[in-house]
Amino acid sequence: MANAARAYVDDKAKTPEIDYDAFVEMDSFNKLVKQKRGFLFTTTFLFMIAYILLPILAFTDALQAKAIGNITWVWIYSLSLFLMTIILCTLYVSRAQKFDKQAEAVIAEYQQKKGGRR
């Protein structure tokens, strides 16, 4: 147990100090946070509205009407929720890769500024 604690302390000693206040003041960091927040809140809101509407609309005449043969609009709406989930996951993965690149650029900018001050 003592060896594990010592290894943890040694790893913490190797970790560079980060000035989080400097990060918060960076325009590029604030832009990234704003973009991520906008994307995540918008997609989450749309996702939740679509899912919450299903049990509400499922018992209305609008979704109980037959669409194709004996298939009602409830089934089509439910299937569209699966498709929406797949599309949102794909979109999120794509956007997350862009956000990761932006985050790397923010970290590089921070390290450049930090190196310039010393």
Side-chain angles (χ1 to χ4, degrees):
M1 190 66 147
N3 290 335
R6 189 174 300 120
Y8 176 77
V9 170
D10 289 343
D11 286 344
K12 292 297 276 181
K14 294 177 188 175
T15 304
E17 288 296 318
I18 299 173
D19 182 7
Y20 292 103
D21 292 330
F23 256 102
V24 172
E25 293 173 5
M26 293 173 53
D27 290 333
S28 57
F29 174 76
N30 289 320
K31 181 181 175 185
L32 172 63
V33 170
K34 185 177 180 180
Q35 287 177 346
K36 279 184 73 171
R37 186 177 295 145
F39 172 73
L40 292 174
F41 283 132
T42 303
T43 53
T44 301
F45 178 75
L46 295 174
F47 184 81
M48 294 301 294
I49 292 298
Y51 270 86
I52 290 170
L53 282 177
L54 177 62
I56 295 169
L57 296 176
F59 298 104
T60 64
D61 292 335
L63 291 184
Q64 291 298 327
K66 292 184 179 185
I68 304 168
N70 287 330
I71 299 173
T72 62
W73 286 105
V74 172
W75 287 100
I76 294 173
Y77 188 86
S78 299
L79 178 62
S80 72
L81 293 179
F82 281 102
L83 294 174
M84 181 187 68
T85 302
I86 293 168
I87 291 168
L88 285 178
C89 287
T90 304
L91 179 64
Y92 176 77
V93 168
S94 171
R95 291 293 298 265
Q97 290 172 349
K98 291 177 185 177
F99 290 141
D100 288 346
K101 289 178 184 175
Q102 287 178 310
E104 289 173 1
V106 169
I107 292 170
E109 180 184 339
Y110 168 77
Q111 290 173 340
Q112 183 181 10
K113 286 182 179 180
K114 182 180 175 184
R117 276 198 262 157
R118 285 188 174 179

